[in-house]
Amino acid sequence: MGLTHEAARTRPITPYAETALDHARAYAAAHHTLAVTYSTVHDGFPLGRWLVQTRRKARQGHLSAATSQALTAIAPWWNPPWPHTWQRTYQQTKLAHHTGQPLPSPLQKWTDRQRTRWNTLHPDQQHLLTSIGIRPG
């Protein structure tokens, strides 16, 4: 018999998930994000693959509440309702903003698209953008 959704949500964190969370914490501490690609490896651990699988479990209602809460504590936007490519690009733009670096052309084009498509963005996306000085165009 398979686990019910409730059983999946209430089970404790497995040793493998605890190891994965340790890698997620270390990666987020160094890079300020968990918006990673599938191929991202941290200290030999397949962090990107684990996060893709974990996000899938979360969408299906099979992720334990403890794991979800731990990930949210590490990075509130570990599983945003918008595409992860958007989140990764936002993180790159945010880093450039915070370090005072000029935006490379691809990030400037992305920023311009966000301004012109402002009304199509999720309200939380709009908030993230305004927090780094990007406003509707």
Side-chain angles (χ1 to χ4, degrees):
M1 255 200 242
L3 286 175
T4 65
H5 288 301
E6 186 59 32
R9 285 190 297 272
T10 60
R11 70 176 177 244
I13 297 174
T14 66
Y16 181 76
E18 195 58 60
T19 296
L21 288 167
D22 288 342
H23 283 281
R25 283 182 196 95
Y27 186 91
H31 302 282
H32 310 289
T33 186
L34 286 180
V36 300
T37 63
Y38 181 84
S39 62
T40 299
V41 174
H42 179 263
D43 288 341
F45 183 82
L47 183 61
R49 185 178 71 199
W50 181 77
L51 282 166
V52 166
Q53 292 167 348
T54 302
R55 289 179 185 117
R56 186 176 304 122
K57 286 180 184 177
R59 282 191 309 274
Q60 295 169 347
H62 297 297
L63 185 63
S64 75
T67 300
S68 179
Q69 290 168 356
L71 282 165
T72 300
I74 295 166
W77 296 108
W78 74 273
N79 191 22
W82 48 79
H84 293 281
T85 54
W86 189 95
Q87 193 68 23
R88 278 192 298 276
T89 308
Y90 164 76
Q91 286 299 138
Q92 293 168 349
T93 305
K94 179 181 173 183
L95 178 62
H97 173 78
H98 286 309
T99 59
Q101 299 293 318
L103 291 177
S105 180
L107 290 183
Q108 185 59 55
K109 288 177 184 176
W110 179 85
T111 300
D112 293 342
R113 274 195 312 277
Q114 304 317 299
R115 286 185 174 113
T116 59
R117 298 178 183 167
W118 192 265
N119 291 334
T120 67
L121 297 173
H122 188 282
D124 288 332
Q125 286 174 298
Q126 294 172 351
H127 174 73
L128 288 171
L129 291 169
T130 57
S131 74
I132 60 171
I134 299 170
R135 303 215 176 345

